[in-house]
Amino acid sequence: MTTNGDPASLSGAPAVAARTGRTDAGEDRPAADDRLPDALSGLRAAIGAATFPLVLPSAEPAERIGAALADQLDDYLLPRLTRLDAPLLVVVGGSTGAGKSTLVNSLVQARVSAAGVLRPTTRSPVLVCNPADSSWFRRGELLPGLTRTNQPSDDPRSLHLVTAPALAPGLAFLDAPDIDSVVDANRALAGQLLAAADLWLFVTTAARYADAVPWGLLRGARARGAVIAMVLDRVPAEATDEVAGHLAEMLAEQDLGSAPLFVLPETWVDGQGLLPARVTAPLADWFARLAADADARSAVVRQTLGGALIALQPAVESLAAAADEQVAAADALDDRVRAAYRAANRTVEQGLRDGRLLRGEVLARWQEFVGTSDFFRSLEARIGRLRDRLVAAFSRRPAPAAELREAIESQLVTLLRAVAAEAAEQAYTGWKAHPAGAALLVPDLAHHGDDLPERAERLVRDWQRGVLELVRTEGGDRRFVARTAAYAVNATGLAVMIAVFASTAFIPTGLEVATGAGTTLAGQAVLQAIFGDQAVRTLADKARADLLERVRALLDTEAARFLTRTEQARPADQTATALRQAAERVEAARLASGFADATSARERL
């Protein structure tokens, strides 16, 4: 039994010369190879350059689609465009045990493909053609990733080439591995081979025609506009009408009603393992007429080729969308890190403003440096002599400058370690909540860098030396020298450092500098005499900006521990744009080449 089996229905499209670009009617038309190969090569390069390294829901499907598109471009589209008149390739696919190899052997009247009860039987694909066509398939342009052999092989990446004189020229059969094979590599290869077919011959059985896997592939073939023919094998005589009718209904529901359907009854095989000629005659005759009809073969090629070209743009758009998601995810991860370290910078800046760094050890060492509380009380009655008494204090009593500098260093380092630890924890937590970030994390990122304490100490010491150098540089101002010479560079530098830790335009208040010291109004006046000086305030402003800049650099280095990981995983920002532009060039070239859309082509079959 056969339905829709007239190959004449495949010849609705005008025949096209392989390279001249002229129809049979003599009308000039852009040849298929004028623009398409270059556009497809550009698309192939864009797909090959696209990566999806971040762990996102769209990444694995994008990798799979990208690999499938690359295979189809390499295996079929590019080589087929160079030879539109090359022999028609019929890929025979189907479920395990459907009888594909037996059918191929029967159609070419020779035992060219192993058949048997062991599964999987077809471990490497077998391509059988007329001897006159073997040179095209041996050249390796079609399916270039498969190694040509003259002997059967267990290597799934080999292609066993066999010639059969009984098979008419212009037509070749490729017996593919099972589409539902228990071997992953076989299933993947079956899908790859089907994507390289000019015509898909799907073989199923009365017991398995409703299986999900074949229908998934059939829907994919329909979406790509591929030419499909169906064989329903091993159908019991009493169930022929019922099963064939149901399969025809299923095909129609999937918009595959135009696919030729051949029904083969349950039967025996002869001593060579071939089906009786009467059983395969309708299918063999259909292929014979197709092989003899150049127009019909051209229609099949143009139908499948055109459908595959049309399907490229939406498939590539899915890759571009996935690439956009990769960039957006990388940006989101970077934003979480930068937010954590911006907060750390703000904490340091606030710490310099709110006077918290003037408490504890720094305050005690400062009080020792400028004098005890008794010293301040002795000045209450003689405010007019503040500067002289302060100079005397500096000159009469050795100031513990080293202790003050160490206290400042310790306080700053403690703050930097705390904010760096908190920022690392926040960034780590932010990444852990993101699927792409969680995959990039390593335990060391949960805390600040191991060498941060040493770098923080070096930062503070370098900053303190910078403050002293700043004082020396500003000392070139004669008026400033006159006001501050008695304090000496070291003393003035320490005063500037204390001013950096204070609020209110860098003028320390009594609460900030003298808390717990019993300082009276006169003591505050002394402090105002030092820090109210505009020159000291200006120095403090510069020193504070310098410190914050050094802190930003330190924290940027800490943030880079995260950011370098996203940078290494981030796809190029132009990946999506390159994919879309390449797909648009292919579509423009397709339209210029005159390939019919898949829908109208299916209507002609």
Side-chain angles (χ1 to χ4, degrees), residues 347-387:
T347 299
V348 173
E349 185 174 359
Q350 185 62 30
L352 298 182
R353 289 185 180 277
D354 62 14
R356 77 179 68 170
L357 295 175
L358 289 174
R359 302 185 181 99
E361 186 71 13
V362 172
L363 176 59
R365 298 289 77 80
W366 165 253
Q367 290 170 342
E368 291 177 1
F369 182 64
V370 299
T372 66
S373 58
D374 292 337
F375 167 70
F376 284 113
R377 284 196 295 270
S378 70
L379 296 177
E380 288 179 351
R382 294 181 294 278
I383 294 297
R385 298 166 59 190
L386 287 176
R387 188 175 299 277

Tab-separated table of all heavy atoms in Angstrom, residues 347-387:
chain	number	residue	atom	x	y	z
A	347	THR	N	32.041	52.918	53.405
A	347	THR	CA	32.273	52.705	54.839
A	347	THR	C	33.583	53.371	55.270
A	347	THR	O	33.655	53.998	56.341
A	347	THR	CB	32.322	51.199	55.148
A	347	THR	OG1	31.071	50.612	54.794
A	347	THR	CG2	32.589	50.962	56.626
A	348	VAL	N	34.612	53.229	54.455
A	348	VAL	CA	35.889	53.880	54.782
A	348	VAL	C	35.721	55.388	54.772
A	348	VAL	O	36.188	56.096	55.691
A	348	VAL	CB	36.974	53.440	53.781
A	348	VAL	CG1	38.263	54.235	54.011
A	348	VAL	CG2	37.249	51.948	53.914
A	349	GLU	N	35.065	55.894	53.755
A	349	GLU	CA	34.865	57.345	53.670
A	349	GLU	C	34.075	57.854	54.868
A	349	GLU	O	34.408	58.889	55.458
A	349	GLU	CB	34.141	57.687	52.364
A	349	GLU	CG	33.996	59.179	52.125
A	349	GLU	CD	33.400	59.484	50.767
A	349	GLU	OE1	33.120	58.526	50.003
A	349	GLU	OE2	33.194	60.675	50.463
A	350	GLN	N	33.049	57.127	55.250
A	350	GLN	CA	32.258	57.522	56.408
A	350	GLN	C	33.080	57.441	57.683
A	350	GLN	O	32.952	58.273	58.585
A	350	GLN	CB	31.012	56.635	56.525
A	350	GLN	CG	30.055	57.027	57.629
A	350	GLN	CD	29.485	58.421	57.432
A	350	GLN	OE1	29.327	58.884	56.292
A	350	GLN	NE2	29.170	59.112	58.524
A	351	GLY	N	33.944	56.424	57.747
A	351	GLY	CA	34.803	56.293	58.913
A	351	GLY	C	35.734	57.475	59.080
A	351	GLY	O	36.098	57.847	60.209
A	352	LEU	N	36.132	58.079	57.979
A	352	LEU	CA	36.975	59.269	58.051
A	352	LEU	C	36.177	60.515	58.430
A	352	LEU	O	36.743	61.503	58.892
A	352	LEU	CB	37.666	59.503	56.701
A	352	LEU	CG	38.628	58.407	56.221
A	352	LEU	CD1	39.270	58.812	54.899
A	352	LEU	CD2	39.681	58.099	57.257
A	353	ARG	N	34.882	60.455	58.217
A	353	ARG	CA	34.052	61.627	58.488
A	353	ARG	C	33.461	61.639	59.897
A	353	ARG	O	33.294	62.693	60.495
A	353	ARG	CB	32.889	61.703	57.482
A	353	ARG	CG	33.315	62.074	56.080
A	353	ARG	CD	32.097	62.246	55.198
A	353	ARG	NE	32.460	62.614	53.838
A	353	ARG	CZ	32.719	63.862	53.446
A	353	ARG	NH1	32.675	64.836	54.330
A	353	ARG	NH2	33.036	64.121	52.196
A	354	ASP	N	33.128	60.482	60.426
A	354	ASP	CA	32.356	60.472	61.668
A	354	ASP	C	33.219	60.397	62.927
A	354	ASP	O	32.702	60.291	64.040
A	354	ASP	CB	31.343	59.316	61.660
A	354	ASP	CG	32.000	57.939	61.580
A	354	ASP	OD1	33.222	57.846	61.795
A	354	ASP	OD2	31.284	56.959	61.289
A	355	GLY	N	34.524	60.430	62.793
A	355	GLY	CA	35.386	60.477	63.946
A	355	GLY	C	35.627	59.156	64.638
A	355	GLY	O	36.326	59.115	65.652
A	356	ARG	N	35.116	58.076	64.084
A	356	ARG	CA	35.272	56.795	64.780
A	356	ARG	C	36.747	56.377	64.858
A	356	ARG	O	37.146	55.651	65.763
A	356	ARG	CB	34.449	55.719	64.079
A	356	ARG	CG	35.070	55.184	62.805
A	356	ARG	CD	34.254	54.111	62.126
A	356	ARG	NE	33.007	54.644	61.587
A	356	ARG	CZ	32.210	53.944	60.770
A	356	ARG	NH1	32.526	52.698	60.458
A	356	ARG	NH2	31.101	54.472	60.287
A	357	LEU	N	37.539	56.833	63.882
A	357	LEU	CA	38.946	56.455	63.891
A	357	LEU	C	39.764	57.220	64.932
A	357	LEU	O	40.936	56.906	65.146
A	357	LEU	CB	39.551	56.677	62.495
A	357	LEU	CG	38.981	55.783	61.388
A	357	LEU	CD1	39.550	56.169	60.040
A	357	LEU	CD2	39.283	54.319	61.674
A	358	LEU	N	39.147	58.233	65.535
A	358	LEU	CA	39.866	59.015	66.551
A	358	LEU	C	39.677	58.451	67.950
A	358	LEU	O	40.175	59.021	68.921
A	358	LEU	CB	39.384	60.466	66.523
A	358	LEU	CG	39.814	61.276	65.291
A	358	LEU	CD1	39.172	62.637	65.308
A	358	LEU	CD2	41.324	61.388	65.223
A	359	ARG	N	38.956	57.379	68.052
A	359	ARG	CA	38.706	56.802	69.374
A	359	ARG	C	39.782	55.780	69.723
A	359	ARG	O	40.613	55.415	68.911
A	359	ARG	CB	37.321	56.153	69.408
A	359	ARG	CG	36.200	57.138	69.067
A	359	ARG	CD	34.831	56.493	69.221
A	359	ARG	NE	33.776	57.446	68.866
A	359	ARG	CZ	33.168	57.463	67.695
A	359	ARG	NH1	33.487	56.590	66.763
A	359	ARG	NH2	32.232	58.355	67.451
A	360	GLY	N	39.757	55.314	70.937
A	360	GLY	CA	40.642	54.245	71.359
A	360	GLY	C	42.102	54.629	71.340
A	360	GLY	O	42.513	55.680	71.840
A	361	GLU	N	42.896	53.760	70.754
A	361	GLU	CA	44.344	53.906	70.792
A	361	GLU	C	44.818	55.193	70.131
A	361	GLU	O	45.740	55.856	70.609
A	361	GLU	CB	44.994	52.702	70.104
A	361	GLU	CG	46.512	52.649	70.203
A	361	GLU	CD	47.004	52.332	71.600
A	361	GLU	OE1	46.177	51.912	72.444
A	361	GLU	OE2	48.202	52.504	71.853
A	362	VAL	N	44.197	55.581	69.006
A	362	VAL	CA	44.611	56.805	68.323
A	362	VAL	C	44.396	58.014	69.218
A	362	VAL	O	45.252	58.906	69.327
A	362	VAL	CB	43.847	56.964	66.995
A	362	VAL	CG1	44.134	58.329	66.364
A	362	VAL	CG2	44.222	55.850	66.030
A	363	LEU	N	43.256	58.055	69.891
A	363	LEU	CA	42.970	59.184	70.787
A	363	LEU	C	43.989	59.240	71.918
A	363	LEU	O	44.523	60.313	72.227
A	363	LEU	CB	41.553	59.030	71.361
A	363	LEU	CG	41.138	60.082	72.392
A	363	LEU	CD1	41.199	61.481	71.798
A	363	LEU	CD2	39.748	59.775	72.919
A	364	ALA	N	44.303	58.094	72.502
A	364	ALA	CA	45.262	58.078	73.608
A	364	ALA	C	46.638	58.545	73.149
A	364	ALA	O	47.311	59.335	73.824
A	364	ALA	CB	45.336	56.673	74.194
A	365	ARG	N	47.056	58.050	71.993
A	365	ARG	CA	48.377	58.456	71.508
A	365	ARG	C	48.403	59.927	71.102
A	365	ARG	O	49.416	60.603	71.244
A	365	ARG	CB	48.774	57.586	70.300
A	365	ARG	CG	48.901	56.112	70.584
A	365	ARG	CD	50.118	55.770	71.433
A	365	ARG	NE	49.977	56.068	72.846
A	365	ARG	CZ	49.318	55.295	73.727
A	365	ARG	NH1	48.720	54.179	73.304
A	365	ARG	NH2	49.241	55.608	74.998
A	366	TRP	N	47.285	60.425	70.601
A	366	TRP	CA	47.217	61.850	70.248
A	366	TRP	C	47.335	62.709	71.500
A	366	TRP	O	48.048	63.724	71.527
A	366	TRP	CB	45.915	62.137	69.506
A	366	TRP	CG	45.588	63.615	69.423
A	366	TRP	CD1	44.634	64.279	70.114
A	366	TRP	CD2	46.249	64.583	68.621
A	366	TRP	NE1	44.641	65.602	69.805
A	366	TRP	CE2	45.635	65.823	68.875
A	366	TRP	CE3	47.311	64.528	67.717
A	366	TRP	CZ2	46.023	67.008	68.260
A	366	TRP	CZ3	47.707	65.707	67.096
A	366	TRP	CH2	47.069	66.930	67.370
A	367	GLN	N	46.630	62.320	72.533
A	367	GLN	CA	46.696	63.095	73.769
A	367	GLN	C	48.115	63.121	74.319
A	367	GLN	O	48.603	64.145	74.808
A	367	GLN	CB	45.728	62.507	74.800
A	367	GLN	CG	44.265	62.735	74.447
A	367	GLN	CD	43.317	61.937	75.330
A	367	GLN	OE1	43.737	60.978	75.971
A	367	GLN	NE2	42.060	62.349	75.360
A	368	GLU	N	48.797	62.001	74.237
A	368	GLU	CA	50.185	61.975	74.677
A	368	GLU	C	51.062	62.874	73.807
A	368	GLU	O	52.016	63.491	74.278
A	368	GLU	CB	50.726	60.548	74.640
A	368	GLU	CG	50.111	59.622	75.680
A	368	GLU	CD	50.638	58.206	75.549
A	368	GLU	OE1	51.502	57.983	74.658
A	368	GLU	OE2	50.193	57.327	76.304
A	369	PHE	N	50.697	62.937	72.533
A	369	PHE	CA	51.504	63.706	71.592
A	369	PHE	C	51.413	65.211	71.857
A	369	PHE	O	52.421	65.920	71.845
A	369	PHE	CB	51.062	63.385	70.164
A	369	PHE	CG	51.854	64.086	69.111
A	369	PHE	CD1	53.207	63.824	68.956
A	369	PHE	CD2	51.262	65.019	68.273
A	369	PHE	CE1	53.942	64.470	67.973
A	369	PHE	CE2	51.991	65.665	67.300
A	369	PHE	CZ	53.333	65.397	67.146
A	370	VAL	N	50.223	65.728	72.103
A	370	VAL	CA	50.068	67.173	72.281
A	370	VAL	C	50.134	67.571	73.741
A	370	VAL	O	50.165	68.768	74.058
A	370	VAL	CB	48.741	67.663	71.664
A	370	VAL	CG1	48.703	67.384	70.189
A	370	VAL	CG2	47.549	67.019	72.360
A	371	GLY	N	50.107	66.600	74.658
A	371	GLY	CA	50.189	66.936	76.065
A	371	GLY	C	49.071	66.297	76.842
A	371	GLY	O	48.069	65.855	76.282
A	372	THR	N	49.194	66.210	78.128
A	372	THR	CA	48.187	65.612	78.982
A	372	THR	C	47.066	66.582	79.228
A	372	THR	O	47.127	67.765	78.885
A	372	THR	CB	48.806	65.214	80.319
A	372	THR	OG1	49.206	66.413	80.997
A	372	THR	CG2	49.992	64.304	80.113
A	373	SER	N	46.049	66.092	79.928
A	373	SER	CA	44.932	66.969	80.284
A	373	SER	C	45.397	68.083	81.203
A	373	SER	O	44.838	69.188	81.189
A	373	SER	CB	43.812	66.152	80.942
A	373	SER	OG	44.314	65.485	82.095
A	374	ASP	N	46.427	67.821	82.039
A	374	ASP	CA	46.957	68.879	82.908
A	374	ASP	C	47.490	70.033	82.073
A	374	ASP	O	47.356	71.210	82.432
A	374	ASP	CB	48.076	68.333	83.790
A	374	ASP	CG	47.547	67.345	84.819
A	374	ASP	OD1	46.336	67.419	85.127
A	374	ASP	OD2	48.355	66.514	85.295
A	375	PHE	N	48.089	69.698	80.939
A	375	PHE	CA	48.616	70.747	80.069
A	375	PHE	C	47.501	71.641	79.568
A	375	PHE	O	47.605	72.866	79.569
A	375	PHE	CB	49.366	70.104	78.896
A	375	PHE	CG	49.680	71.066	77.789
A	375	PHE	CD1	50.625	72.070	77.971
A	375	PHE	CD2	49.020	70.981	76.574
A	375	PHE	CE1	50.912	72.962	76.967
A	375	PHE	CE2	49.313	71.876	75.566
A	375	PHE	CZ	50.260	72.862	75.747
A	376	PHE	N	46.376	71.005	79.139
A	376	PHE	CA	45.275	71.818	78.648
A	376	PHE	C	44.707	72.703	79.751
A	376	PHE	O	44.380	73.862	79.524
A	376	PHE	CB	44.161	70.916	78.074
A	376	PHE	CG	44.515	70.376	76.716
A	376	PHE	CD1	44.735	69.018	76.539
A	376	PHE	CD2	44.638	71.219	75.628
A	376	PHE	CE1	45.048	68.525	75.300
A	376	PHE	CE2	44.952	70.723	74.386
A	376	PHE	CZ	45.163	69.371	74.211
A	377	ARG	N	44.607	72.162	80.978
A	377	ARG	CA	44.047	72.973	82.065
A	377	ARG	C	44.948	74.166	82.399
A	377	ARG	O	44.484	75.236	82.753
A	377	ARG	CB	43.858	72.097	83.310
A	377	ARG	CG	42.651	71.184	83.215
A	377	ARG	CD	42.281	70.645	84.588
A	377	ARG	NE	43.344	69.770	85.114
A	377	ARG	CZ	43.385	68.459	84.890
A	377	ARG	NH1	42.455	67.888	84.147
A	377	ARG	NH2	44.358	67.721	85.401
A	378	SER	N	46.235	73.973	82.227
A	378	SER	CA	47.157	75.075	82.540
A	378	SER	C	47.031	76.221	81.563
A	378	SER	O	47.535	77.318	81.819
A	378	SER	CB	48.601	74.565	82.540
A	378	SER	OG	49.000	74.243	81.215
A	379	LEU	N	46.393	75.951	80.434
A	379	LEU	CA	46.275	77.006	79.421
A	379	LEU	C	44.972	77.790	79.526
A	379	LEU	O	44.777	78.765	78.810
A	379	LEU	CB	46.350	76.389	78.010
A	379	LEU	CG	47.690	75.708	77.649
A	379	LEU	CD1	47.572	75.083	76.270
A	379	LEU	CD2	48.820	76.716	77.696
A	380	GLU	N	44.045	77.394	80.402
A	380	GLU	CA	42.739	78.029	80.441
A	380	GLU	C	42.842	79.526	80.739
A	380	GLU	O	42.093	80.328	80.179
A	380	GLU	CB	41.876	77.367	81.517
A	380	GLU	CG	41.425	75.968	81.123
A	380	GLU	CD	40.605	75.328	82.219
A	380	GLU	OE1	40.541	75.901	83.315
A	380	GLU	OE2	40.015	74.279	81.944
A	381	ALA	N	43.794	79.905	81.601
A	381	ALA	CA	43.890	81.317	81.988
A	381	ALA	C	44.734	82.120	81.024
A	381	ALA	O	44.888	83.328	81.196
A	381	ALA	CB	44.474	81.420	83.395
A	382	ARG	N	45.333	81.486	80.093
A	382	ARG	CA	46.245	82.211	79.218
A	382	ARG	C	45.983	81.851	77.751
A	382	ARG	O	46.873	81.422	77.018
A	382	ARG	CB	47.692	81.867	79.598
A	382	ARG	CG	48.080	82.370	80.984
A	382	ARG	CD	49.511	82.026	81.306
A	382	ARG	NE	49.733	80.583	81.437
A	382	ARG	CZ	49.443	79.916	82.582
A	382	ARG	NH1	48.944	80.538	83.629
A	382	ARG	NH2	49.661	78.630	82.663
A	383	ILE	N	44.747	82.009	77.317
A	383	ILE	CA	44.366	81.667	75.942
A	383	ILE	C	45.151	82.501	74.950
A	383	ILE	O	45.493	82.047	73.876
A	383	ILE	CB	42.845	81.867	75.730
A	383	ILE	CG1	42.087	80.865	76.574
A	383	ILE	CG2	42.464	81.721	74.261
A	383	ILE	CD1	42.332	79.442	76.208
A	384	GLY	N	45.472	83.756	75.319
A	384	GLY	CA	46.170	84.614	74.375
A	384	GLY	C	47.543	84.102	74.018
A	384	GLY	O	48.148	84.551	73.058
A	385	ARG	N	48.075	83.211	74.838
A	385	ARG	CA	49.424	82.698	74.559
A	385	ARG	C	49.366	81.244	74.059
A	385	ARG	O	50.293	80.474	74.254
A	385	ARG	CB	50.253	82.788	75.842
A	385	ARG	CG	50.399	84.238	76.322
A	385	ARG	CD	50.900	84.286	77.740
A	385	ARG	NE	52.203	83.624	77.868
A	385	ARG	CZ	52.758	83.359	79.058
A	385	ARG	NH1	52.124	83.666	80.181
A	385	ARG	NH2	53.946	82.777	79.112
A	386	LEU	N	48.268	80.900	73.376
A	386	LEU	CA	48.060	79.505	72.957
A	386	LEU	C	49.191	79.001	72.079
A	386	LEU	O	49.737	77.917	72.311
A	386	LEU	CB	46.734	79.363	72.189
A	386	LEU	CG	45.468	79.458	73.028
A	386	LEU	CD1	44.265	79.405	72.121
A	386	LEU	CD2	45.437	78.340	74.047
A	387	ARG	N	49.534	79.790	71.089
A	387	ARG	CA	50.508	79.258	70.139
A	387	ARG	C	51.874	79.112	70.804
A	387	ARG	O	52.575	78.130	70.590
A	387	ARG	CB	50.603	80.165	68.909
A	387	ARG	CG	51.464	79.560	67.789
A	387	ARG	CD	51.438	80.436	66.553
A	387	ARG	NE	50.112	80.584	66.019
A	387	ARG	CZ	49.516	79.693	65.188
A	387	ARG	NH1	50.177	78.627	64.837
A	387	ARG	NH2	48.321	79.897	64.739
